[in-house]
Amino acid sequence: MSDSPDEPLGPFQEIWEAWEEAGAEIAAKPLSHFRRATDIQFDELEQHLAAGDTEAAAREAVDLISVALNTLRQLGCQPDEIAEIARKRARQRMSGQALAILAKYQQQYGI
């Protein structure tokens, strides 16, 4: 299924657009801001799971996507570029390699 040219990020286009008003501020943030934001979102996700609230945990997972999109925004990427980067990454790095990636993370990082 291809995305509309007006919405290259599919269901995540609205998240991208919601953050447009903060584009200049996001561009000025250091990479450490996004690392910390990710940590915060994972902490919140874990809190919701501990409370048995998977719906709230899922919303936090969407917030993680928001942080990823804003990291790409900070890097100067636009939605059409992000869509192409994601497609290429999936084809070249992930397709047919998911189990090997998991094994690598287990071996190298113990996770």
Side-chain angles (χ1 to χ4, degrees):
M1 181 163 135
S2 66
D3 298 319
S4 159
D6 295 333
E7 294 190 349
L9 297 175
F12 306 114
Q13 187 70 38
E14 288 185 52
I15 294 171
W16 178 267
E17 292 169 1
W19 282 91
E20 282 183 345
E21 68 182 291
E25 291 83 356
I26 290 168
K29 296 287 185 190
L31 189 59
S32 60
H33 167 86
F34 303 100
R35 178 185 293 268
R36 181 67 182 121
T38 301
D39 291 341
I40 292 166
Q41 293 307 138
F42 268 109
D43 289 346
E44 292 175 0
L45 189 153
E46 288 173 337
Q47 289 168 6
H48 290 304
L49 287 177
D53 191 344
T54 55
E55 186 175 325
R59 288 192 302 268
E60 299 302 338
V62 171
D63 289 349
L64 284 163
I65 294 168
S66 174
V67 173
L69 287 171
N70 281 321
T71 303
L72 289 158
R73 184 189 304 268
Q74 193 265 359
L75 294 172
C77 297
Q78 293 299 312
D80 56 337
E81 296 170 295
I82 295 167
E84 187 57 27
I85 290 166
R87 286 184 193 99
K88 283 183 180 178
R89 187 68 172 166
R91 283 191 306 265
Q92 296 172 356
R93 174 70 175 106
M94 298 171 192
S95 183
Q97 300 177 63
L99 293 174
I101 293 168
L102 286 174
K104 172 187 170 183
Y105 273 71
Q106 174 62 41
Q107 182 181 14
Q108 289 186 358
Y109 306 108
I111 62 171

mmCIF file of all heavy atoms in Angstrom, residues 36-66:
data_model
loop_
_atom_site.group_PDB
_atom_site.id
_atom_site.type_symbol
_atom_site.label_atom_id
_atom_site.label_comp_id
_atom_site.label_asym_id
_atom_site.label_seq_id
_atom_site.Cartn_x
_atom_site.Cartn_y
_atom_site.Cartn_z
ATOM 1 N N ARG A 36 17.253 11.618 25.963
ATOM 2 C CA ARG A 36 16.574 11.740 27.258
ATOM 3 C C ARG A 36 15.058 11.626 27.092
ATOM 4 O O ARG A 36 14.381 10.984 27.906
ATOM 5 C CB ARG A 36 16.952 13.067 27.922
ATOM 6 C CG ARG A 36 16.313 13.271 29.263
ATOM 7 C CD ARG A 36 16.838 12.280 30.315
ATOM 8 N NE ARG A 36 16.153 12.505 31.563
ATOM 9 C CZ ARG A 36 15.431 11.589 32.216
ATOM 10 N NH1 ARG A 36 15.340 10.345 31.753
ATOM 11 N NH2 ARG A 36 14.831 11.892 33.329
ATOM 12 N N ALA A 37 14.515 12.239 26.049
ATOM 13 C CA ALA A 37 13.076 12.141 25.798
ATOM 14 C C ALA A 37 12.665 10.681 25.598
ATOM 15 O O ALA A 37 11.604 10.253 26.079
ATOM 16 C CB ALA A 37 12.686 12.992 24.589
ATOM 17 N N THR A 38 13.504 9.925 24.916
ATOM 18 C CA THR A 38 13.226 8.499 24.710
ATOM 19 C C THR A 38 13.226 7.759 26.042
ATOM 20 O O THR A 38 12.343 6.935 26.306
ATOM 21 C CB THR A 38 14.268 7.890 23.747
ATOM 22 O OG1 THR A 38 14.201 8.585 22.507
ATOM 23 C CG2 THR A 38 14.018 6.417 23.503
ATOM 24 N N ASP A 39 14.213 8.047 26.887
ATOM 25 C CA ASP A 39 14.264 7.418 28.216
ATOM 26 C C ASP A 39 12.990 7.710 29.004
ATOM 27 O O ASP A 39 12.423 6.817 29.638
ATOM 28 C CB ASP A 39 15.476 7.915 29.004
ATOM 29 C CG ASP A 39 16.803 7.425 28.456
ATOM 30 O OD1 ASP A 39 16.816 6.428 27.697
ATOM 31 O OD2 ASP A 39 17.824 8.054 28.787
ATOM 32 N N ILE A 40 12.562 8.970 28.970
ATOM 33 C CA ILE A 40 11.355 9.364 29.702
ATOM 34 C C ILE A 40 10.142 8.599 29.177
ATOM 35 O O ILE A 40 9.336 8.077 29.958
ATOM 36 C CB ILE A 40 11.137 10.887 29.604
ATOM 37 C CG1 ILE A 40 12.228 11.624 30.386
ATOM 38 C CG2 ILE A 40 9.743 11.277 30.089
ATOM 39 C CD1 ILE A 40 12.312 13.108 30.086
ATOM 40 N N GLN A 41 10.002 8.524 27.859
ATOM 41 C CA GLN A 41 8.853 7.832 27.272
ATOM 42 C C GLN A 41 8.865 6.348 27.621
ATOM 43 O O GLN A 41 7.820 5.763 27.917
ATOM 44 C CB GLN A 41 8.812 8.034 25.760
ATOM 45 C CG GLN A 41 8.531 9.459 25.334
ATOM 46 C CD GLN A 41 7.301 10.064 25.961
ATOM 47 O OE1 GLN A 41 7.315 11.206 26.356
ATOM 48 N NE2 GLN A 41 6.225 9.316 26.064
ATOM 49 N N PHE A 42 10.056 5.710 27.609
ATOM 50 C CA PHE A 42 10.123 4.299 27.998
ATOM 51 C C PHE A 42 9.778 4.124 29.475
ATOM 52 O O PHE A 42 9.102 3.160 29.853
ATOM 53 C CB PHE A 42 11.500 3.699 27.691
ATOM 54 C CG PHE A 42 11.571 3.056 26.347
ATOM 55 C CD1 PHE A 42 12.293 3.640 25.329
ATOM 56 C CD2 PHE A 42 10.916 1.857 26.083
ATOM 57 C CE1 PHE A 42 12.367 3.058 24.074
ATOM 58 C CE2 PHE A 42 10.977 1.260 24.834
ATOM 59 C CZ PHE A 42 11.706 1.864 23.831
ATOM 60 N N ASP A 43 10.216 5.055 30.325
ATOM 61 C CA ASP A 43 9.853 4.981 31.743
ATOM 62 C C ASP A 43 8.341 5.033 31.910
ATOM 63 O O ASP A 43 7.757 4.258 32.679
ATOM 64 C CB ASP A 43 10.497 6.130 32.531
ATOM 65 C CG ASP A 43 11.996 5.984 32.690
ATOM 66 O OD1 ASP A 43 12.543 4.887 32.439
ATOM 67 O OD2 ASP A 43 12.638 7.005 33.062
ATOM 68 N N GLU A 44 7.696 5.952 31.188
ATOM 69 C CA GLU A 44 6.245 6.074 31.276
ATOM 70 C C GLU A 44 5.550 4.825 30.731
ATOM 71 O O GLU A 44 4.567 4.348 31.309
ATOM 72 C CB GLU A 44 5.779 7.333 30.542
ATOM 73 C CG GLU A 44 6.225 8.608 31.233
ATOM 74 C CD GLU A 44 5.886 9.869 30.470
ATOM 75 O OE1 GLU A 44 5.293 9.785 29.362
ATOM 76 O OE2 GLU A 44 6.212 10.956 30.988
ATOM 77 N N LEU A 45 6.061 4.282 29.644
ATOM 78 C CA LEU A 45 5.502 3.057 29.074
ATOM 79 C C LEU A 45 5.568 1.926 30.104
ATOM 80 O O LEU A 45 4.579 1.222 30.328
ATOM 81 C CB LEU A 45 6.279 2.695 27.803
ATOM 82 C CG LEU A 45 5.729 1.580 26.929
ATOM 83 C CD1 LEU A 45 6.181 1.797 25.493
ATOM 84 C CD2 LEU A 45 6.167 0.223 27.389
ATOM 85 N N GLU A 46 6.725 1.787 30.748
ATOM 86 C CA GLU A 46 6.885 0.730 31.750
ATOM 87 C C GLU A 46 5.945 0.931 32.941
ATOM 88 O O GLU A 46 5.401 -0.040 33.482
ATOM 89 C CB GLU A 46 8.336 0.658 32.220
ATOM 90 C CG GLU A 46 9.264 0.092 31.171
ATOM 91 C CD GLU A 46 10.730 0.160 31.559
ATOM 92 O OE1 GLU A 46 11.113 1.010 32.406
ATOM 93 O OE2 GLU A 46 11.507 -0.635 31.007
ATOM 94 N N GLN A 47 5.739 2.179 33.344
ATOM 95 C CA GLN A 47 4.811 2.459 34.447
ATOM 96 C C GLN A 47 3.392 2.028 34.089
ATOM 97 O O GLN A 47 2.687 1.434 34.917
ATOM 98 C CB GLN A 47 4.835 3.944 34.794
ATOM 99 C CG GLN A 47 6.116 4.395 35.464
ATOM 100 C CD GLN A 47 6.245 5.909 35.547
ATOM 101 O OE1 GLN A 47 5.329 6.641 35.201
ATOM 102 N NE2 GLN A 47 7.398 6.372 36.001
ATOM 103 N N HIS A 48 2.987 2.306 32.875
ATOM 104 C CA HIS A 48 1.642 1.905 32.443
ATOM 105 C C HIS A 48 1.525 0.384 32.377
ATOM 106 O O HIS A 48 0.491 -0.174 32.781
ATOM 107 C CB HIS A 48 1.305 2.519 31.089
ATOM 108 C CG HIS A 48 1.108 3.996 31.143
ATOM 109 N ND1 HIS A 48 0.193 4.617 31.978
ATOM 110 C CD2 HIS A 48 1.710 4.997 30.462
ATOM 111 C CE1 HIS A 48 0.235 5.920 31.812
ATOM 112 N NE2 HIS A 48 1.153 6.181 30.883
ATOM 113 N N LEU A 49 2.555 -0.275 31.886
ATOM 114 C CA LEU A 49 2.510 -1.742 31.839
ATOM 115 C C LEU A 49 2.446 -2.330 33.240
ATOM 116 O O LEU A 49 1.716 -3.293 33.484
ATOM 117 C CB LEU A 49 3.722 -2.290 31.079
ATOM 118 C CG LEU A 49 3.698 -2.102 29.571
ATOM 119 C CD1 LEU A 49 4.991 -2.612 28.957
ATOM 120 C CD2 LEU A 49 2.495 -2.803 28.950
ATOM 121 N N ALA A 50 3.219 -1.752 34.161
ATOM 122 C CA ALA A 50 3.205 -2.233 35.546
ATOM 123 C C ALA A 50 1.821 -2.077 36.169
ATOM 124 O O ALA A 50 1.421 -2.884 37.011
ATOM 125 C CB ALA A 50 4.253 -1.494 36.374
ATOM 126 N N ALA A 51 1.094 -1.058 35.731
ATOM 127 C CA ALA A 51 -0.261 -0.835 36.230
ATOM 128 C C ALA A 51 -1.304 -1.634 35.449
ATOM 129 O O ALA A 51 -2.496 -1.558 35.734
ATOM 130 C CB ALA A 51 -0.598 0.660 36.161
ATOM 131 N N GLY A 52 -0.850 -2.392 34.432
ATOM 132 C CA GLY A 52 -1.762 -3.203 33.642
ATOM 133 C C GLY A 52 -2.527 -2.430 32.587
ATOM 134 O O GLY A 52 -3.519 -2.930 32.056
ATOM 135 N N ASP A 53 -2.083 -1.231 32.271
ATOM 136 C CA ASP A 53 -2.783 -0.391 31.306
ATOM 137 C C ASP A 53 -2.064 -0.431 29.955
ATOM 138 O O ASP A 53 -1.250 0.435 29.649
ATOM 139 C CB ASP A 53 -2.873 1.043 31.835
ATOM 140 C CG ASP A 53 -3.808 1.918 31.030
ATOM 141 O OD1 ASP A 53 -4.165 1.539 29.903
ATOM 142 O OD2 ASP A 53 -4.174 3.002 31.542
ATOM 143 N N THR A 54 -2.381 -1.451 29.146
ATOM 144 C CA THR A 54 -1.699 -1.598 27.854
ATOM 145 C C THR A 54 -2.101 -0.516 26.859
ATOM 146 O O THR A 54 -1.304 -0.150 25.994
ATOM 147 C CB THR A 54 -1.959 -2.988 27.239
ATOM 148 O OG1 THR A 54 -3.364 -3.203 27.149
ATOM 149 C CG2 THR A 54 -1.328 -4.085 28.078
ATOM 150 N N GLU A 55 -3.310 0.030 26.993
ATOM 151 C CA GLU A 55 -3.727 1.104 26.095
ATOM 152 C C GLU A 55 -2.873 2.352 26.323
ATOM 153 O O GLU A 55 -2.402 2.984 25.371
ATOM 154 C CB GLU A 55 -5.203 1.421 26.289
ATOM 155 C CG GLU A 55 -5.723 2.420 25.281
ATOM 156 C CD GLU A 55 -7.225 2.640 25.398
ATOM 157 O OE1 GLU A 55 -7.950 1.678 25.704
ATOM 158 O OE2 GLU A 55 -7.638 3.791 25.180
ATOM 159 N N ALA A 56 -2.652 2.707 27.573
ATOM 160 C CA ALA A 56 -1.793 3.856 27.879
ATOM 161 C C ALA A 56 -0.356 3.564 27.464
ATOM 162 O O ALA A 56 0.350 4.454 26.970
ATOM 163 C CB ALA A 56 -1.864 4.197 29.361
ATOM 164 N N ALA A 57 0.088 2.320 27.630
ATOM 165 C CA ALA A 57 1.441 1.944 27.204
ATOM 166 C C ALA A 57 1.583 2.111 25.691
ATOM 167 O O ALA A 57 2.607 2.599 25.202
ATOM 168 C CB ALA A 57 1.751 0.505 27.624
ATOM 169 N N ALA A 58 0.546 1.741 24.958
ATOM 170 C CA ALA A 58 0.578 1.900 23.505
ATOM 171 C C ALA A 58 0.675 3.372 23.119
ATOM 172 O O ALA A 58 1.389 3.730 22.168
ATOM 173 C CB ALA A 58 -0.651 1.259 22.872
ATOM 174 N N ARG A 59 -0.006 4.239 23.856
ATOM 175 C CA ARG A 59 0.094 5.680 23.576
ATOM 176 C C ARG A 59 1.523 6.166 23.801
ATOM 177 O O ARG A 59 2.034 6.997 23.055
ATOM 178 C CB ARG A 59 -0.896 6.467 24.437
ATOM 179 C CG ARG A 59 -2.339 6.287 23.989
ATOM 180 C CD ARG A 59 -3.268 7.291 24.658
ATOM 181 N NE ARG A 59 -3.249 7.212 26.114
ATOM 182 C CZ ARG A 59 -4.080 6.457 26.841
ATOM 183 N NH1 ARG A 59 -4.988 5.706 26.239
ATOM 184 N NH2 ARG A 59 -4.002 6.459 28.151
ATOM 185 N N GLU A 60 2.182 5.642 24.821
ATOM 186 C CA GLU A 60 3.587 6.016 25.069
ATOM 187 C C GLU A 60 4.483 5.514 23.939
ATOM 188 O O GLU A 60 5.448 6.185 23.563
ATOM 189 C CB GLU A 60 4.069 5.484 26.414
ATOM 190 C CG GLU A 60 3.311 6.012 27.616
ATOM 191 C CD GLU A 60 3.322 7.523 27.778
ATOM 192 O OE1 GLU A 60 4.229 8.195 27.242
ATOM 193 O OE2 GLU A 60 2.406 8.044 28.445
ATOM 194 N N ALA A 61 4.156 4.345 23.386
ATOM 195 C CA ALA A 61 4.925 3.842 22.244
ATOM 196 C C ALA A 61 4.778 4.788 21.047
ATOM 197 O O ALA A 61 5.742 5.037 20.319
ATOM 198 C CB ALA A 61 4.489 2.424 21.885
ATOM 199 N N VAL A 62 3.584 5.340 20.870
ATOM 200 C CA VAL A 62 3.381 6.337 19.811
ATOM 201 C C VAL A 62 4.203 7.585 20.117
ATOM 202 O O VAL A 62 4.779 8.201 19.215
ATOM 203 C CB VAL A 62 1.888 6.657 19.620
ATOM 204 C CG1 VAL A 62 1.700 7.839 18.672
ATOM 205 C CG2 VAL A 62 1.149 5.432 19.085
ATOM 206 N N ASP A 63 4.293 7.953 21.389
ATOM 207 C CA ASP A 63 5.140 9.087 21.759
ATOM 208 C C ASP A 63 6.603 8.820 21.411
ATOM 209 O O ASP A 63 7.338 9.743 21.048
ATOM 210 C CB ASP A 63 4.994 9.419 23.241
ATOM 211 C CG ASP A 63 3.645 10.045 23.583
ATOM 212 O OD1 ASP A 63 2.894 10.411 22.652
ATOM 213 O OD2 ASP A 63 3.353 10.168 24.788
ATOM 214 N N LEU A 64 7.025 7.574 21.500
ATOM 215 C CA LEU A 64 8.389 7.213 21.078
ATOM 216 C C LEU A 64 8.575 7.459 19.580
ATOM 217 O O LEU A 64 9.629 7.936 19.144
ATOM 218 C CB LEU A 64 8.692 5.757 21.416
ATOM 219 C CG LEU A 64 8.992 5.480 22.878
ATOM 220 C CD1 LEU A 64 8.856 3.995 23.173
ATOM 221 C CD2 LEU A 64 10.369 5.994 23.241
ATOM 222 N N ILE A 65 7.553 7.148 18.814
ATOM 223 C CA ILE A 65 7.605 7.435 17.372
ATOM 224 C C ILE A 65 7.711 8.939 17.157
ATOM 225 O O ILE A 65 8.468 9.397 16.291
ATOM 226 C CB ILE A 65 6.383 6.831 16.654
ATOM 227 C CG1 ILE A 65 6.432 5.307 16.728
ATOM 228 C CG2 ILE A 65 6.296 7.316 15.208
ATOM 229 C CD1 ILE A 65 5.158 4.603 16.324
ATOM 230 N N SER A 66 7.005 9.700 17.973
ATOM 231 C CA SER A 66 7.074 11.159 17.894
ATOM 232 C C SER A 66 8.506 11.642 18.147
ATOM 233 O O SER A 66 9.017 12.514 17.436
ATOM 234 C CB SER A 66 6.109 11.782 18.905
ATOM 235 O OG SER A 66 6.249 13.170 18.944
#
